[in-house]
């Protein structure tokens, strides 16, 4: 009986969709979205650039697959059906989405630029709408609440990641804002500068999320 041949040392791993997405996420974390190109991805995988198009017809398709991978498991934050207050379960889903996007450099930019319809994204959406429908929200209100929660979370995280990216916002922009306010006649902004130029983005997020949930409670009465 013949023995299966051993792969040649140094031979690149076989190209597949999952490995391509994971390598793309590694490159994203390393250099950011602007530096992620199909050519650079192909080089990192030791394949010809054309080989990638077997799985992704365009870079946008790759980004959509990356976004889908980022939100794997986010839907689990809702917990079991009927378990706990609807507002806290909704908040848990929003927090889990923010955490998932923050786990990757430019994660919110990638996610915001796609319209993923994979199982991870749809499970998150279904979980959030389900929480609200179980609580008695109408189908229309539950659907619009999904958009509101997702858009707020992604938008907030976009700004958060931009502010924390070296060379793109952060202390430089905060310093410019501080100088402009102090140099002008903006007494209300001057009084609020510690918060406006602060980096406690979790506090900012929780404040906005609380306002959103309070609004949902108002229409739920």
């Amino acid at each position: 009986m013949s023995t299966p041949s051993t792969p040649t040392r140094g031979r690149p791993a076989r190209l597949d969709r999952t490995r391509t997405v994971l390598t793309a996420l590694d490159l994203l974390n390393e250099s950011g979205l602007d530096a992620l190109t199909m050519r650079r991805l192909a080089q990192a995988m030791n394949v010809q650039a054309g080989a990638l198009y077997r799985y992704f017809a365009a870079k946008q398709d790759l980004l959509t697959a990356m976004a889908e991978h980022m939100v794997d498991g986010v839907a689990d934050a809702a917990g079991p059906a009927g378990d706990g207050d609807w507002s806290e379960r909704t908040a848990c889903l929003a927090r889990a989405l923010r955490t998932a996007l923050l786990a990757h450099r430019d994660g919110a930019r990638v996610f915001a630029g796609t319209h993923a319809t994979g199982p991870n994204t749809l499970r998150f959406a279904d979980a959030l709408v389900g929480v609200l429908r179980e609580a008695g929200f109408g189908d229309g209100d539950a659907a619009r609440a999904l958009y509101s929660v997702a858009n707020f979370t992604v938008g907030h995280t976009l700004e958060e990641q931009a502010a924390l990216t070296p060379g793109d916002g952060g202390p430089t922009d905060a310093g410019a804002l501080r100088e402009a306010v102090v140099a002008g006649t903006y007494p209300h902004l001057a009084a609020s500068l510690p918060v406006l130029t602060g980096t406690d983005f979790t506090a900012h997020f929780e404040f906005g999320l609380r306002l959103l949930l309070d609004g949902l409670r108002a229409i739920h009465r």
Side-chain angles (χ1 to χ4, degrees):
M1 180 180 295
S2 61
T3 302
S5 60
T6 302
T8 303
R9 184 184 298 273
R11 179 182 296 173
R14 184 176 180 179
L15 183 66
D16 62 58
R17 183 181 178 89
T18 300
R19 176 175 170 249
T20 303
V21 171
L22 293 176
T23 303
L25 287 170
D26 287 341
L27 290 176
L28 178 73
N29 293 334
E30 177 185 315
S31 303
L33 179 57
D34 293 334
L36 176 62
T37 64
M38 298 297 274
R39 181 178 297 276
R40 186 175 181 192
L41 176 59
Q43 290 174 342
M45 302 185 71
N46 197 22
V47 299
Q48 295 296 318
L52 299 179
Y53 294 99
R54 182 187 313 168
Y55 300 104
F56 305 102
K59 181 180 177 181
Q60 189 61 37
D61 296 329
L62 172 65
L63 295 178
T64 299
M66 292 166 64
E68 169 69 7
H69 186 86
M70 287 179 189
V71 296
D72 181 22
V74 170
D76 296 337
D83 183 20
D85 176 70
W86 68 264
S87 61
E88 181 55 32
R89 294 176 69 199
T90 300
C92 285
L93 284 166
R95 292 171 187 138
L97 178 58
R98 172 176 174 251
T99 298
L101 299 181
L102 286 175
H104 299 279
R105 181 173 176 178
D106 290 334
R109 283 183 64 195
V110 172
F111 190 86
T114 64
H115 299 282
T117 55
N120 295 332
T121 303
L122 294 183
R123 283 188 64 232
F124 165 78
D126 190 68
L128 201 155
V129 171
V131 165
L132 297 175
R133 292 184 70 242
E134 290 166 13
F137 283 81
D139 294 346
D141 286 344
R144 293 185 182 92
L146 166 66
Y147 281 133
S148 297
V149 172
N151 290 343
F152 164 70
T153 302
V154 175
H156 176 278
T157 312
L158 271 169
E159 294 296 331
E160 180 174 357
Q161 290 189 309
L164 296 176
T165 299
D168 184 16
T172 301
D173 279 1
L177 174 61
R178 185 179 296 105
E179 291 175 5
V181 169
V182 171
T185 53
Y186 310 102
H188 304 299
L189 291 179
S192 306
L193 269 177
V195 173
L196 294 175
T197 60
T199 57
D200 189 350
F201 292 101
T202 297
H204 299 335
F205 178 77
E206 291 295 330
F207 182 86
L209 182 59
R210 186 168 67 250
L211 291 180
L212 199 161
L213 293 173
D214 285 347
L216 288 176
R217 289 191 192 92
I219 67 172
H220 185 48
R221 291 173 182 167

